Amino acid sequence: EFRKVISPDLAYSLEDREMNMQRVAQVCKIINDHESFAIAAVMSPTRSSREFARRCIHRIIEVYTKCSLDVLEKRDVKGHYKNFREGKMKHLIGKDLRYDEPDNPDLVLETDKLSVEECARRILEKLQPYLSSLSL
């Protein structure tokens, strides 16, 4: 949805992905600055894009959802990996675009080994100090 509304001018090259990540970080910063929380589920393939987000947003939790490429291909509901294999698509992270594994994420979730429920539990646990500081 973000790409449709905020970044319709961008494609999926590494440079365009970097620009999209910067836009995501800027929007999250605005939300954060208004004492709210933003959860952004984005493919952030480069260290520089994650470093930009950390500089931009003063309260940030980086969650690395780690998964083997084999499992990702099996979960591919949009058919990106199939289209890539058939030459119908390019600019796919882990194939013809690099992915810089995070150096020091706040949380690592091995989604090919953990259940969805366990991943959610760990995220909520990590968020707890922030949530308890809210005046609801």
Side-chain angles (χ1 to χ4, degrees), residues 39-105:
I39 298 175
V42 293
M43 170 59 79
S44 181
T46 64
R47 283 183 183 84
S48 62
S49 63
R50 294 186 293 272
E51 288 167 3
F52 178 89
R54 284 197 181 272
R55 284 190 311 272
C56 183
I57 304 166
H58 70 276
R59 290 181 305 186
I60 186 170
I61 297 172
E62 180 183 348
V63 179
Y64 174 25
T65 53
K66 186 175 184 176
C67 187
S68 71
L69 199 51
D70 289 339
V71 172
L72 284 176
E73 288 194 40
K74 289 175 186 165
R75 292 178 179 169
D76 181 22
V77 295
K78 293 183 178 179
H80 292 320
Y81 290 97
K82 179 179 181 267
N83 288 334
F84 182 84
R85 277 192 308 275
E86 294 174 357
K88 298 176 184 173
M89 181 182 176
K90 59 181 183 172
H91 302 308
L92 189 60
I93 302 294
K95 292 295 186 176
D96 64 339
L97 290 181
R98 76 175 200 269
Y99 179 78
D100 300 335
E101 201 163 317
D103 293 324
N104 193 24

Side-chain angles (χ1 to χ4, degrees), residues 11 29 33 36-37 39 58 60 70 95 104 118 121 132:
K29 178 194 181 319
D33 287 349
S36 293
F37 292 97
I39 298 175
H58 70 276
I60 186 170
D70 289 339
K95 292 295 186 176
N104 193 24
E118 179 61 16
R121 186 192 67 71
S132 62

